[in-house]
Amino acid sequence: MEGFRPDRRQFIKLCTVAGITVFAAPALWQLSRAGQKAADVKMPGWRGEGPDPAFRTDGLAKVTGHKIYGRDYRARDMPGWPQNQHYALVLRCNRVERQFTGFDWSQIPADAQPYEKITAESLAEKGLKLPPFYGDDMLLPQGGSPHYYGHAAAMLLFDDFDKYATAKQALQFNEQVIRFGDETPPVRRDPYAAWRIIRVEGEGGPTGEDRYSPLQDGIFFPQYRNRQVEWPTEANQAGNVSERGIYYANQIRSEVERQAAVGNWHLVRGDYRTQIVEPMMMEPEAANVWLDGDRKTLHLVLTTQSPQDFHEKAAHLISQSELADRIENFVVHSAFIGGGFGGKDHTIFPYYGLMAGLFGRGPVRLANNRFEQFQTGLKRHPFHMKNTLAVDKQTGKFQALVSEMQADGGGRANFSASVAMVGASAIQSIYYFPRNDIASTANQSMNVDSGSMRGYGTLQTMNAMEMMVNQAAHELGIDPIELRLRNASETGWRNTQGAVPQVRVRYREMLERAGQHPMWKERAHRKQMFEERNPNYFFGTGFAIATKDFGTGSAAPSAAVQIDENGRLSLSIGFIEMGTGTQTSQAMLLEPLLGRPADECHLAVVDAWQALQQFQTESPYTMSQEHQDKMSTNPLWTPVVAMASSASMSAYFQSHPVVIAAQILFKHGLLPAARSLWQRDALDPAELVWRDGALHLPDPEMPPLPLAKLAAEAHRAGQVTGVMTHGFNRWAWSDADFELDGEKSTWEIDGLALRRGGQGGPGGRVVAGEYEVQKRSAVRYPKTALNNAMVTYYAPCAALVEVAVNRGTGAVEIQGLQNYLDCGRPIVRALVEGQIEGGIAMGVGHALYEYLPPLGEGAGNGTWNLNRYQVALAKDVAVWKQQHEILPPESDNDPPKGIAEVCAVPIVAALSEAIFQATGRRFNDTPVTPEILRRALNPEV
Amino acid sequence: MGKISVTMVVNGDKVGPMEVSEYTSMLDFLHEYLNLTGTKLGCGIGVCRACEVVVERDDGSLEVVRSCINNVGRFIDKKVTTVEGHARRNADGEIEQLAPIQQAFLEHFSFQCGWCTPGFVNAAMVLIDRLKREPVAAEDLEATISEALQHHICRCTGYVRYFRAVKDVIESTPGLVKSEG
């Protein structure tokens, strides 16, 4: 059997975590026994001739049904695995108000008996516990009451498909198999987190020093009493951070009331609620796990957005269990995922797959069907906001924002704390506020847990702001775009946290473009004309804009660019392909710097980075400046070693170390080779141009140098042929000094390793042993105080939409749609356009259709699927009429921005306003379903 | 559990007779028995259409059938084509030429994650097959595409690029659109 052996070259050692050595296997499609040729999915011609690639690097595989997704692989596809696939089924509680008393195993058909029943007691026996990030009770112990709807109680393992399918048929909606006893009070816990953002501008206005702000003064936290947040009440202008904060918060609130009372300020005040939303990524989660007992090796095929995090946590989990001496190695088989939208980021699902594998007598496959995915998958947090926007009646200038927001994180800890923080910091949208008091709480509930779904809190809060702005414009008699122009923040102005955005803001330009669009300028006439022609419909036009922060405040991307003797370029990155085209766009980044795109782009690489020898210590969010300063003197220390993938992160953050690696490869590998080949001691890089894959000098005497020739010379002369970089970004990039080839250089990275010569692994994969770490001589990390800034990178997007509302049914039909986006410099335009169009569909669903009720009627009861949960279809998104405009980049040096989330945002409030303009009915809550609208329009029916 | 004997032609290859559990869906049969995983599970209840496969009717015309809600028994002795079966391959199984609709989906960047792609490929193949017999007037083309693909769910690219790719293929394939006059 061609099984795993640690010495096999195709398995690459990544790192050792808690005594377990983690190996990366080659991309699955390269080794698959599925009977399809690897050549099938190589992409001859993907680059094409034009400025953009002809198609996606993964396109051929996807359009021909090749096995590439984690869910596709069965045991028989896996080299070295036993042929017989086992299957796991999870039994879950669909109620929470009673004690769980055990199981009625007689419900399992006689011919479909599992060989293993895993319960909480089984896990406890082996000392298997969830990583603390997820809370406790992975399986509910007998005698307890479920913490939330959908809480898992047992896992059953079957040794063939028919038994599994038969048992699943019998058990999935079975009310008898899990037994419940006495009524119990609901499980309640303290909120996951609470945040407060208070700012009052100082004498110097938007760009001057603040009187008080989180960035300047720091942040403070509440007490929890009776599961509720209690903010400090002591107010003192000269006191500590909380006393001063409360002083200014009180000032803001009393000023709002006073100015409104005397008639100076107009207030828009209301409750704004968003619903629980299912990410509905098309591939439900799956895992296939095999414990090869003979070789003490655990193989894992997963569908996660955050593989690095899983492997690290899983290794710790096992090392602290009774199984520690049974497992020495992890082999990680990387695969593509069929959509994520945050629903596969730090999800608990892979841990259930892991447990199934640990108890399995063969490779075990755990795969959610859609009912199970609805029942257990991470959701978008529902928010309930109580907001007040104060506007000066004379000038139309925004004077204050007061918001109290509650986010429901569900029953299990996930990213609720940070979603509540990001939502709070985003509610300002594109506007400048001289004073704000924003309080945000992430609450525990008995709903299915919510996570980092697309928008990350901002879709919820920014749309509330846009609804308020539209209402203010209407009530003050100011054109909505004009009101936005009066209040749009400018480059260099402070946000609600007191931080200054790090990218140039182009809100004004976007607003002015939208203001000139015929759909906007002629909206009154168009409404009149449409309603005359279509008497059964109301017609309305709505506009909204949003600016989505991107970044986490602790981005830590890595990259390796290497070239072989024949000039083939390979790129390795830590990010995975969620469908956004990361592989294609990252490969394209090399072209302007090295003459051609990467021939190979390896994703989800977790192995290579050990060459950097970096280590981390404390949380990057909470470490002190003193700790950072002290640790920075160690040239191998970094605040964060690795990061998870998310869709708004690759274009800006992952691109950064790729570009720098390519620049270093050029400067210290190809440029010396060019000097040698052209026999010139000095070459000005600014004079050199890449054309047709060759380096050209503006000197007709000098023959162009094809990349292959340069590569051969770099290898021959022992120049740099591979560069590995690691960056750290806390709302600004760190930079560090390195001495390379006798020359001191400063790069915006904090870790560097170089290869000279070297062969590389299969397909140009990085072999860490070929790299030598380059210790930096000095490093400058962004100050830890920037953690208080919360976010500073933004990409704006605006939506202008026309709707027709059926007077009888309440159905909303989009008649026209114009979207605007500033994505910086797009890497691959068609991919950005796909994001815009996809974001609109998801935003339309949020605005008009998608809805999961809370608690017992909600997804956690296990009966939800697409027959009840309506997502936007082609007919709902004006598929033949949609238009969009991508703002041209201001220069070739504009960085690309993270845009995958913002595209889904402004359409929500734009639709809400269009419905108001059509019907005169204003809705602060989402979704506005046809049924809600029908009732509002026809209360008598 | 009872068993049934299954024979059919899948992507040009004769399959069976095979004994399978009588309640096996066509999707599970493709995945678990034939190891053809190109056909995707989306909802499992026949709503999202990611699982559609192409079946040849007795008169040679094509139809799409949802494999997740149809028992494998419905396909006995049928000719079935899945997403794996549309491209022309050489003797080694390597792809030589894609179907025009596959090529168009590639060039239009129609998909991102690609999970819904097999359903769109199959539905578009069947639409094109129908238009060969029943060409559509140019002014009805968009409505015809919308009707044929209306139930398919895509979560990444918002349908636009699929629909425009299908339109391109139909407009550039002689005989699918009625000539004027």
Side-chain angles (χ1 to χ4, degrees):
Chain A
M1 187 166 73
E2 45 167 345
F4 169 79
R5 291 205 323 268
D7 59 338
R8 288 184 78 93
R9 192 154 188 270
Q10 69 262 41
F11 296 102
I12 297 169
K13 181 178 170 182
L14 313 180
C15 52
T16 300
V17 183
I20 294 173
T21 309
V22 183
F23 291 83
L28 272 172
W29 52 264
Q30 290 178 325
L31 275 188
S32 166
R33 298 190 308 203
Q36 292 159 306
K37 302 283 183 196
D40 276 0
V41 289
K42 299 272 183 177
M43 290 300 297
W46 72 270
R47 173 62 190 87
E49 301 293 327
D52 271 357
F55 35 85
R56 302 167 57 99
T57 51
D58 56 5
L60 189 55
K62 289 180 173 177
V63 86
T64 56
H66 200 288
K67 280 182 190 284
I68 55 169
Y69 303 99
R71 196 179 169 98
D72 291 341
Y73 291 92
R74 304 299 192 275
R76 61 177 143 166
D77 300 322
M78 303 300 297
W81 287 29
Q83 291 280 307
N84 189 28
Q85 179 74 66
H86 294 205
Y87 296 83
L89 171 62
V90 183
L91 300 180
R92 299 179 182 278
C93 302
N94 64 357
R95 59 198 304 182
V96 297
E97 77 293 352
R98 289 184 183 274
Q99 188 184 40
F100 158 55
T101 58
F103 301 93
D104 176 3
W105 296 125
S106 71
Q107 300 295 321
I108 305 176
D111 56 357
Q113 289 294 312
Y115 66 77
E116 184 74 49
K117 301 181 185 101
I118 309 169
T119 63
E121 290 68 32
S122 326
L123 300 185
E125 238 171 62
K126 293 194 163 26
L128 292 162
K129 280 186 186 165
L130 269 180
F133 176 82
Y134 299 95
D136 53 13
D137 288 349
M138 181 174 189
L139 296 176
L140 181 64
Q142 199 165 319
S145 60
H147 299 186
Y148 52 93
Y149 288 92
H151 198 154
M155 297 178 75
L156 309 181
L157 304 185
F158 303 86
D159 56 11
D160 77 23
F161 179 75
D162 284 347
K163 285 183 196 168
Y164 158 76
T166 303
K168 191 162 191 171
Q169 186 93 354
L171 299 179
Q172 188 174 0
F173 303 105
N174 186 314
E175 299 279 342
Q176 310 300 321
V177 65
I178 298 178
R179 294 190 314 213
F180 293 96
D182 294 339
E183 203 163 325
T184 53
V187 174
R188 295 197 63 202
R189 297 180 181 189
D190 283 345
Y192 297 118
W195 306 93
R196 193 84 179 250
I197 304 174
I198 301 162
R199 173 176 174 268
V200 178
E201 75 172 17
E203 301 291 326
T207 58
E209 292 284 303
D210 287 332
R211 285 185 210 277
Y212 184 90
S213 71
L215 184 74
Q216 180 184 290
D217 295 81
I219 50 181
F220 61 94
F221 297 97
Q223 303 278 323
Y224 299 120
R225 200 185 308 273
N226 298 324
R227 314 300 183 199
Q228 300 287 319
V229 168
E230 281 193 3
W231 289 102
T233 53
E234 195 68 31
N236 180 354
Q237 191 176 8
N240 62 28
V241 59
S242 78
E243 290 165 351
R244 279 182 288 126
I246 297 300
Y247 169 84
Y248 283 108
N250 293 345
Q251 289 278 85
I252 292 167
R253 287 168 188 250
S254 59
E255 182 75 354
V256 165
E257 300 308 322
R258 195 180 66 78
Q259 293 284 1
V262 299
N264 291 337
W265 292 0
H266 177 76
L267 303 187
V268 175
R269 177 174 275 169
D271 284 37
Y272 297 80
R273 296 181 190 84
T274 69
Q275 72 276 38
I276 302 173
V277 164
E278 159 66 37
M280 242 317 293
M281 70 296 231
M282 291 299 287
E283 177 199 34
E285 291 178 272
N288 207 341
V289 180
W290 174 47
L291 175 55
D292 178 355
D294 294 342
R295 296 179 178 85
K296 295 190 171 185
T297 296
L298 190 71
H299 291 260
L300 304 129
V301 184
L302 304 172
T303 59
T304 173
Q305 282 175 250
S306 44
Q308 296 98 325
D309 178 80
F310 172 79
H311 298 127
E312 186 182 329
K313 287 194 169 83
H316 282 289
L317 183 161
I318 287 170
S319 71
Q320 290 160 14
S321 76
E322 302 293 318
L323 301 177
D325 61 347
R326 284 182 55 198
I327 298 168
E328 292 175 356
N329 310 300
F330 273 9
V331 179
V332 179
H333 298 267
S334 60
F336 286 75
I337 65 169
F341 312 120
K344 291 173 179 166
D345 182 4
H346 285 69
T347 151
I348 195 172
F349 182 90
Y351 296 93
Y352 289 99
L354 172 67
M355 295 305 164
L358 293 177
F359 284 84
R361 297 176 195 161
V364 185
R365 181 170 190 265
L366 174 66
N368 276 349
N369 64 22
R370 185 60 64 183
F371 289 103
E372 293 167 314
Q373 189 62 41
F374 266 90
Q375 187 177 24
T376 66
L378 292 170
K379 303 291 183 276
R380 174 181 285 152
H381 287 77
F383 273 60
H384 180 185
M385 294 157 270
K386 291 177 180 295
N387 297 337
T388 303
L389 168 67
V391 190
D392 185 294
K393 287 182 181 174
Q394 295 299 316
T395 64
K397 290 272 194 183
F398 296 166
Q399 297 301 319
L401 169 64
V402 178
S403 176
E404 290 166 10
M405 53 181 74
Q406 307 282 331
D408 181 345
R412 198 175 270 292
N414 199 273
F415 279 124
S416 299
S418 60
V419 167
M421 179 186 83
V422 173
S425 63
I427 190 171
Q428 66 199 285
S429 187
I430 67 160
Y431 309 108
Y432 177 74
F433 291 93
R435 49 187 80 73
N436 53 265
D437 177 15
I438 304 159
S440 172
T441 304
N443 293 301
Q444 173 262 355
S445 77
M446 305 188 89
N447 286 315
V448 181
D449 36 322
S450 288
S452 58
M453 188 186 160
R454 192 179 202 176
Y456 212 92
T458 70
L459 182 145
Q460 296 92 318
T461 63
M462 263 192 292
N463 276 307
M465 171 58 68
E466 288 301 297
M467 291 176 191
M468 289 192 288
V469 173
N470 281 326
Q471 184 177 341
H474 177 77
E475 290 170 354
L476 292 168
I478 303 174
D479 177 285
I481 290 182
E482 167 60 24
L483 183 62
R484 288 175 165 90
L485 282 165
R486 290 188 202 176
N487 289 285
S489 190
E490 301 282 351
T491 300
W493 289 17
R494 294 188 185 277
N495 62 19
T496 50
Q497 299 91 269
V500 177
Q502 295 297 301
V503 290
R504 208 179 103 71
V505 293
R506 299 170 73 184
Y507 307 141
R508 185 166 295 278
E509 182 181 349
M510 192 173 275
L511 290 167
E512 285 169 349
R513 281 172 190 254
Q516 291 306 308
H517 196 282
M519 277 169 57
W520 187 252
K521 285 174 70 176
E522 300 161 14
R523 61 191 186 280
H525 176 66
R526 290 162 78 99
K527 177 178 172 68
Q528 185 188 350
M529 297 295 288
F530 188 94
E531 290 181 352
E532 280 175 13
R533 285 198 309 271
N534 302 278
N536 292 328
Y537 288 85
F538 296 113
F539 184 92
T541 305
F543 175 81
I545 188 168
T547 187
K548 172 74 181 72
D549 59 286
F550 56 96
T552 60
S554 66
S558 302
V561 179
Q562 58 187 32
I563 190 164
D564 72 10
E565 288 171 312
N566 302 313
R568 284 183 66 80
L569 285 166
S570 81
L571 170 63
S572 298
I573 59 174
F575 268 51
I576 64 165
E577 176 65 80
M578 288 182 289
T580 53
T582 299
Q583 188 180 47
T584 311
S585 57
Q586 294 290 311
M588 287 296 293
L589 286 172
L590 301 192
E591 188 171 275
L593 301 165
L594 301 174
R596 58 191 284 178
D599 298 284
E600 304 275 349
C601 180
H602 299 283
L603 305 165
V605 172
V606 279
D607 50 335
W609 321 124
Q610 62 171 319
L612 294 163
Q613 299 180 23
Q614 289 182 304
F615 70 99
Q616 65 188 60
T617 47
E618 298 181 3
S619 161
Y621 294 110
T622 55
M623 73 175 59
S624 66
Q625 185 64 44
E626 187 186 13
H627 179 77
Q628 179 168 292
D629 291 343
K630 181 180 154 212
M631 295 311 300
S632 298
T633 58
N634 185 323
L636 299 178
W637 180 81
T638 181
V640 181
V641 172
M643 65 188 290
S645 303
S646 67
S648 289
M649 295 289 282
S650 63
Y652 182 75
F653 293 102
Q654 180 62 76
S655 297
H656 182 86
V658 171
V659 167
I660 290 180
Q663 288 170 338
I664 295 174
L665 178 61
F666 181 80
K667 185 176 176 186
H668 293 276
L670 303 186
L671 196 58
R675 281 196 206 103
S676 167
L677 292 168
W678 277 327
Q679 297 183 333
R680 288 214 176 172
D681 291 340
L683 278 176
D684 179 3
E687 284 189 348
L688 304 174
V689 285
W690 288 105
R691 200 163 52 239
D692 302 325
L695 196 60
H696 291 248
L697 252 182
D699 178 349
E701 299 293 309
M702 290 291 140
L705 297 174
L707 185 59
K709 199 167 179 182
L710 288 164
E713 174 61 16
H715 273 267
R716 186 201 64 74
Q719 304 289 2
V720 171
T721 62
V723 181
M724 186 183 298
T725 51
H726 176 276
F728 176 72
N729 183 298
R730 183 189 283 128
W731 309 119
W733 290 106
S734 59
D735 64 23
D737 303 330
F738 298 90
E739 189 167 324
L740 306 182
D741 301 329
E743 182 187 339
K744 186 178 167 187
S745 300
T746 300
W747 303 93
E748 285 188 328
I749 51 176
D750 71 341
L752 177 66
L754 298 179
R755 184 186 81 166
R756 294 173 194 271
Q759 299 297 311
R765 288 184 71 93
V766 169
V767 175
E770 294 180 346
Y771 279 75
E772 186 178 349
V773 69
Q774 308 292 305
K775 292 185 178 172
R776 65 199 182 214
S777 56
V779 67
R780 290 157 294 276
Y781 285 111
K783 299 286 184 197
T784 57
L786 279 169
N787 280 321
N788 300 336
M790 298 183 182
V791 289
T792 62
Y793 292 108
Y794 297 95
C797 180
L800 177 56
V801 66
E802 292 177 328
V803 302
V805 180
N806 186 305
R807 293 172 186 242
T809 67
V812 175
E813 294 171 26
I814 295 178
Q815 298 296 310
L817 176 56
Q818 173 70 43
N819 216 63
Y820 298 89
L821 178 70
D822 170 15
C823 64
R825 181 175 46 80
I827 305 172
V828 178
R829 188 177 179 86
L831 291 172
V832 174
E833 291 175 335
Q835 287 289 337
I836 294 173
E837 291 152 359
I840 285 168
M842 217 167 252
V844 168
H846 183 99
L848 301 179
Y849 304 113
E850 298 185 41
Y851 176 74
L852 285 168
L855 304 175
E857 294 299 310
N861 73 16
T863 65
W864 281 81
N865 201 327
L866 288 173
N867 57 332
R868 302 170 68 190
Y869 187 83
Q870 189 182 346
V871 299
L873 300 173
K875 70 179 173 55
D876 303 315
V877 299
V879 75
W880 300 110
K881 299 177 188 168
Q882 266 191 41
Q883 300 290 330
H884 57 250
E885 182 179 339
I886 297 174
L887 265 55
E890 293 183 304
S891 81
D892 288 344
N893 298 325
D894 270 12
K897 296 179 179 178
I899 52 89
E901 298 184 276
V902 73
C903 297
V905 178
I907 184 68
V908 176
L911 279 167
S912 179
E913 178 64 10
I915 290 169
F916 171 74
Q917 292 297 335
T919 66
R921 302 292 198 285
R922 190 174 287 288
F923 296 91
N924 289 350
D925 302 346
T926 53
V928 185
T929 63
E931 178 62 12
I932 289 170
L933 204 41
R934 184 188 68 77
R935 287 170 190 252
L937 294 174
N938 307 282
E940 71 285 359
V941 178
Chain B
M1 56 194 104
K3 299 275 185 184
I4 56 172
S5 179
V6 172
T7 55
M8 67 182 78
V9 173
V10 178
N11 299 332
D13 297 330
K14 186 168 181 296
V15 169
M18 295 171 76
E19 295 290 305
V20 305
S21 168
E22 62 184 333
Y23 297 119
T24 305
S25 71
M26 181 61 176
L27 184 68
D28 283 340
F29 178 70
L30 291 170
H31 286 181
E32 308 299 333
Y33 289 84
L34 302 188
N35 200 21
L36 288 174
T37 52
T39 305
K40 298 305 185 198
L41 172 85
C43 63
I45 56 169
V47 176
C48 77
R49 316 290 166 130
C51 69
E52 279 186 350
V53 296
V54 178
V55 176
E56 189 177 308
R57 295 193 186 102
D58 293 342
D59 66 359
S61 65
L62 305 180
E63 64 177 332
V64 279
V65 180
R66 285 165 279 176
S67 66
C68 73
I69 52 167
N70 279 285
N71 188 280
V72 64
R74 178 176 168 176
F75 298 80
I76 290 175
D77 295 335
K78 298 285 188 188
K79 286 185 187 169
V80 179
T81 306
T82 67
V83 68
E84 291 99 331
H86 295 303
R88 196 178 72 214
R89 294 171 188 264
N90 65 18
D92 292 331
E94 292 169 342
I95 292 168
E96 289 186 332
Q97 189 173 15
L98 295 173
I101 196 66
Q102 291 173 308
Q103 189 68 35
F105 284 166
L106 274 184
E107 291 170 1
H108 281 255
F109 286 72
S110 296
F111 53 86
Q112 290 193 355
C113 90
W115 199 258
C116 63
T117 306
F120 275 100
V121 167
N122 287 330
M125 293 290 290
V126 168
L127 172 62
I128 291 165
D129 175 73
R130 170 158 69 91
L131 296 183
K132 284 177 184 167
R133 279 182 297 281
E134 305 163 18
V136 63
E139 63 269 25
D140 296 333
L141 179 55
E142 290 184 356
T144 300
I145 295 168
S146 295
E147 183 267 335
L149 302 178
Q150 63 179 326
H151 296 298
H152 287 253
I153 290 177
C154 164
R155 296 290 283 167
C156 294
T157 51
Y159 310 101
V160 175
R161 285 160 187 274
Y162 276 125
F163 279 51
R164 291 181 185 170
V166 174
K167 189 178 180 192
D168 267 11
V169 171
I170 292 172
E171 286 180 334
S172 61
T173 305
L176 304 187
V177 180
K178 286 179 193 165
S179 49
E180 287 182 26

